[in-house]
Amino acid sequence: MAYLDNSATTETDPAVISVMADVMKKIYGNPSSLHGIGVKAERLMEQARKVVADALSCLPHEIVFTSGGTEANNMVIRGVAEAYHHRGNHMITSPIEHPSVYHVFQYLKQKGWKITELPVDSSGRVNPADVETALTDETVLVSVMHVNNEVGTIQPVEEIGNRLKKYPKVMFHVDAVQSFGKIPLHPSRSHIDFLTISGHKLHGPKGIGCLYKRKNLTLPSLLLGGGQERGLRSGTENLPAIAGLAKAVLLAKEAEETFYQKYQTWKEMILTRIENELTGVKINGDIDDGGAPYILNLSFPGLKSEVIVHALEKEQVYVSSKSACSSKKEEPSRVLKAMGLTDQEALGSIRISMGRMNVEEDIKQCCDVLVRTIPALQKVMKVHKR
């Protein structure tokens, strides 16, 4: 089996599972309890917080644990809307953001907020100059993802952050779910105010993530209750998952450079095979240095994404059509359409996404199945059209 849908979710690392099981057995106290068992749990949680903070070169108290990237993204965007409405009612984003960002902005638009969606080029990249041009006296937040989850394009967040530092009233949010643990990014160096992370995208557990929130910034809690996480996220902390996230972060940082080089080699291997052995294929996104090497998006105009996905699945190669949050909807990808693709190109796209648990044999298997399956499907489609 070649599992190549790592942008949707990753296989949990056995070392992470071991840590989580150990915590559930031995450190089961509530971190808010005053007795020794609770204190032990709290210490472990703070150690985990420091691991994540060190990976981001930030302070531990700037890390807030959440249930994942979706909650963290909502916490930022809706929180800024509530806490900083007195500064203005304008926000800036792009049309290629993850649904947990895109749909929050659509919600705020219905509530009267002015939302500017910046255009992207054919590679899916935002122009930093456009960000600055779009700023008004009413702008309070700019939200641009680091690595696009569908095509892998790396956004110039450092340049955007450097431009925004001249506007102290404007805050900068970066969804780093698809990049954290794979591509280095330090919030303070890029003048990022909020950054979101999800555990299950880097071989950690599902249901855990975190938010980097620059010190001295205010956000209201989406969840009211016991006031955990310094009042930002009420609810008893999921200590086994938090420990699992910390272990996943350590493992990812250890392997970051090695696997980045492997991803580049594997991506070139796939591209070489399809360019030499397939016709009627379009490569989407930036396949050079401006694209993450672990995500590859391909369009086969005339074919349907679902048909390709299931045909590959029969050969035990697992890829996806678009963002897992919207892959079951039979409509062209919003991201690909924003990049200028036709409906036919967007409806015939697949995403191959690699992870740390993959080996070279997975890539070879994927290539072999692709060059065997796609021509057969194209032939069937031609006969059907007649």
Side-chain angles (χ1 to χ4, degrees):
M1 182 183 77
Y3 178 77
L4 295 168
D5 192 17
N6 289 278
S7 288
T9 195
T10 57
E11 178 185 354
T12 310
D13 193 298
V16 171
I17 296 172
S18 178
V19 165
M20 293 178 67
D22 201 45
V23 171
M24 283 189 274
K25 289 178 183 177
K26 300 176 181 177
I27 311 178
Y28 47 81
N30 188 321
S32 297
S33 296
L34 296 177
H35 49 65
I37 296 174
V39 170
K40 189 176 181 180
E42 183 184 22
R43 285 175 181 168
L44 177 63
M45 184 173 68
E46 294 312 312
Q47 288 171 6
R49 198 186 307 276
K50 187 176 186 307
V51 167
V52 178
D54 287 348
L56 289 172
S57 299
C58 70
L59 300 171
H61 70 262
E62 293 178 309
I63 299 298
V64 181
F65 290 117
T66 68
S67 65
T70 293
E71 182 187 340
N73 285 334
N74 272 261
M75 183 183 289
V76 172
I77 302 167
R78 298 179 71 170
V80 167
E82 181 178 334
Y84 293 93
H85 193 275
H86 63 282
R87 289 188 182 180
N89 69 334
H90 178 235
M91 295 184 182
I92 299 171
T93 186
S94 86
I96 63 164
E97 301 299 310
H98 186 270
S100 64
V101 169
Y102 179 82
H103 288 299
V104 179
F105 280 115
Q106 297 306 303
Y107 167 80
L108 290 180
K109 190 183 293 185
Q110 293 173 3
K111 295 294 182 180
W113 278 79
K114 297 176 183 177
I115 309 298
T116 297
E117 285 188 11
L118 301 171
V120 295
D121 62 21
S122 59
S123 295
R125 185 171 290 106
V126 170
N127 185 337
D130 289 346
V131 176
E132 194 167 7
T133 300
L135 294 173
T136 74
D137 291 339
E138 296 292 310
T139 308
V140 294
L141 182 71
V142 173
S143 179
V144 177
M145 69 194 332
H146 189 202
V147 169
N148 183 266
N149 53 298
E150 289 192 35
V151 298
T153 298
I154 302 173
Q155 299 295 343
V157 295
E158 186 169 354
E159 185 179 347
I160 292 172
N162 283 326
R163 286 174 179 265
L164 291 177
K165 72 178 181 179
K166 296 180 291 184
Y167 306 90
K169 189 183 81 169
V170 181
M171 290 164 282
F172 186 27
H173 166 238
V174 173
D175 175 351
V177 165
Q178 291 292 348
S179 64
F180 180 70
K182 302 168 190 175
I183 300 175
L185 182 64
H186 302 293
S188 59
R189 297 177 199 170
S190 299
H191 306 283
I192 295 168
D193 298 295
F194 304 102
L195 182 142
T196 49
I197 294 167
S198 181
H200 75 104
K201 305 294 188 180
L202 63 149
H203 303 282
K206 295 175 180 63
I208 187 67
C210 62
L211 165 68
Y212 158 80
K213 180 186 74 68
R214 184 169 61 81
K215 62 181 180 180
N216 300 327
L217 289 178
T218 300
L219 283 181
S221 176
L222 294 181
L223 303 174
L224 302 178
Q228 287 87 347
E229 292 298 282
R230 294 177 303 285
L232 286 168
R233 208 273 180 180
S234 290
T236 302
E237 297 89 348
N238 186 350
L239 189 59
I242 289 172
L245 172 63
K247 183 63 176 179
V249 169
L250 287 173
L251 293 170
K253 297 305 289 185
E254 287 173 6
E256 192 173 71
E257 186 174 343
T258 301
F259 269 87
Y260 194 87
Q261 293 170 348
K262 284 188 178 181
Y263 295 141
Q264 287 180 315
T265 301
W266 293 344
K267 189 171 185 177
E268 289 169 7
M269 186 186 304
I270 298 171
L271 288 171
T272 299
R273 289 290 300 274
I274 65 173
E275 288 171 352
N276 291 339
E277 302 179 51
L278 290 177
T279 58
V281 56
K282 184 181 187 303
I283 302 164
N284 304 316
D286 193 331
I287 61 172
D288 298 317
D289 292 339
Y294 45 87
I295 299 176
L296 181 60
N297 192 292
L298 308 171
S299 283
F300 300 93
L303 300 180
K304 290 289 185 69
S305 301
E306 309 91 89
V307 173
I308 302 172
V309 169
H310 290 308
L312 297 183
E313 181 184 8
K314 289 179 181 177
E315 300 280 351
Q316 296 212 355
V317 173
Y318 296 86
V319 300
S320 62
S321 56
K322 51 184 175 179
S323 170
C325 297
S326 53
S327 61
K328 293 182 180 180
K329 300 176 183 178
E330 294 185 6
E331 56 187 33
S333 160
R334 164 174 51 83
V335 172
L336 296 181
K337 290 289 289 180
M339 291 166 55
L341 273 70
T342 65
D343 282 357
Q344 191 178 58
E345 290 170 335
L347 288 168
S349 69
I350 62 169
R351 178 186 65 188
I352 299 169
S353 50
M354 297 165 273
R356 200 177 69 244
M357 310 293 275
N358 286 125
V359 295
E360 189 169 315
E361 190 56 40
D362 296 333
I363 311 306
K364 291 179 179 177
Q365 181 183 347
C366 177
C367 290
D368 290 342
V369 172
L370 268 177
V371 300
R372 184 171 68 246
T373 302
I374 295 299
L377 293 175
Q378 290 170 331
K379 186 176 180 180
V380 169
M381 184 57 65
K382 285 181 181 178
V383 171
H384 178 71
K385 283 185 177 180
R386 290 176 188 169

